[in-house]
Amino acid sequence: MKNKRLLAAFLFFLALVSCENSSFADDVAKSNLPAELRYMDITGAREGKSVKTNAPTVDTGDAIPVFELVSISKADGTVLDESYAEFVTIGQTASKTLNVLDPAGNIVSSQVVYDTSQNGIITIAEGNKFVVGDYYFTIKVSTEVKGVVKSTVFAKAFHLNVGPLLPSVLIYSPKNQNLVVGTNNKTTVPIVPNTNPAIKFELGSLTDKLVIDGATGVISLSPTYQYTAQETLKPIVRVISTISNEVVPFVNPINIVVSNTPVAVPIDSILFFYPTLKTTGSYPAGGEGFAVQTVVAGNGEDIWGELDNSTGRGLVAPTERPIGNTAQTILEVQTNRTTITDPTTSWMVATTQDLTPFQYGFKLSFTYHYMPAFQLYMADGRTPVDIEVYVSTNYKGGNIQDANGKWLNGTWTQVNKVMKCRRSEGVSGTTSTGAPWGTEFIGTPYPGDQKGLDPDGRKNPNTTFYNKWVRCTYDIPTSQISKNFTVAFKVASYFQGSLLNNTTVPGRGGSFYFSDLYFKASE
């Protein structure tokens, strides 16, 4: 009898353990099933402007999640077509093999490392099609453990609210205009490019002397204006979105010379696009006034990111920089890590500009400032890397080139050879500071100290561009005036394999620093 009781107890114990093991196995099976995906909402984004989320949180146990965009819908449930999704990317985990090399360049050991810092981050590129409204992103998250793939689709995982694109420039052409007392004449109609057209106008000053047409922006003398002597009025004009009621004030967009007889007024120039280039991090998708396209990442620690190296910090603000531009950022591209340089290709694409408002009576140009830094030549005397400059009149978004050099979107013309450039002659200690600028020369300079063999035929042995700021200007011909004028800067590599910066495999890609890009219209 005793043995029967012991057997019964033993069988009960086995059953209990079996249940617990089954429950444990179920928990293990469920632990890698993605759950609880959460993104922070973004509100107040702007039409066509770049957007970047923070990294989301998601429960996958210890498995690394893979993110996929399933669909984008409007607030009324309408699913958007693929033309919207073309501008959207979701960051993934990056793996990289780190090789330890001996002095001869042979691999001694290798280790695979994983970077999850960008995983799940949603980026929407500059020039996108999202207009005013609310959008909801459905995201699929997957894991794979020991060959078993598990996925969960999260409906409306991310909410994006887009507000109207506000004006960044207000153009009265010409900027200096003459209003003659008693003639009832008026200013020209202002141009407000690259903005949502649902706007109205108000005066922010001089309302005792001037009046403005709220619908057109045309300014005239107030009926109560009392003329005593010729004077120049510089009003503040407020442009107001009729969608959001947001106000953008423009200080002195026009100089109004008031006289009792017609007088000649001076000509002027307009800086109609002067982005701060403000961005965050080392590998941004873009920033204020630009987008980044990384084709081949290489091994550098910055790709059009915030400046890290002190060498580029010496630039003194150009005289053209607007007083209100207090957030001007110097961008940095690194092409090597320690002594090793791997091939890299990336694009910095400036926001497309509508030049047609300036097609009559203006000369157009764009100017930028950059420093080629720490470049050392390869065994044959060539530079490993350089910045190539391209312009397009029909680019409407998307990747420009693939890793094989195939053109994907837009027709592009390289303009390095016709650039008007000047080398910085200003220094503080040994640091290049910009102005004063040297004698103008044609064509962007060859990076480096200009010494040694010159198979490209571009070196100037009488000077150096090693760690020197350079100011370059492109005069835009009338044939390129369009609604879609885009300038893009490409960091290009001219070698294969790895450069070791030693006697066996000489050469170093170094860095490029970039700042103060602006477009100018001269009357």
Side-chain angles (χ1 to χ4, degrees), residues 19-71:
C19 289
E20 288 178 348
N21 285 342
S22 175
S23 176
F24 176 75
D26 289 344
D27 288 343
V28 170
K30 293 177 181 178
S31 63
N32 296 318
L33 181 66
E36 300 296 328
L37 174 64
R38 300 191 186 283
Y39 282 91
M40 290 184 63
D41 292 352
I42 290 182
T43 59
R46 296 299 175 186
E47 296 172 290
K49 293 298 183 180
S50 61
V51 176
K52 186 174 183 179
T53 70
N54 292 323
T57 60
V58 63
D59 182 7
T60 60
D62 294 328
I64 296 177
V66 176
F67 295 81
E68 178 185 345
L69 175 65
V70 176
S71 64

Side-chain angles (χ1 to χ4, degrees), residues 175-179 181 187 203 205-211 219-222 225-227 229-237 251-259:
K175 183 173 182 178
N176 297 309
Q177 300 190 31
N178 178 213
L179 296 185
V181 175
T187 68
L203 286 174
S205 66
L206 301 174
T207 53
D208 58 328
K209 297 182 179 182
L210 300 171
V211 293
I219 300 174
S220 57
L221 292 174
S222 170
Y225 177 76
Q226 297 294 318
Y227 181 81
Q230 180 175 312
E231 63 176 329
T232 299
L233 304 178
K234 300 181 179 183
I236 296 172
V237 177
V251 179
N252 186 210
I254 183 172
N255 297 325
I256 300 174
V257 179
V258 183
S259 60

Side-chain angles (χ1 to χ4, degrees), residues 295-296 401-407:
V295 182
V296 179
Q401 252 185 340
D402 66 14
N404 297 316
K406 179 182 177 182
W407 297 100

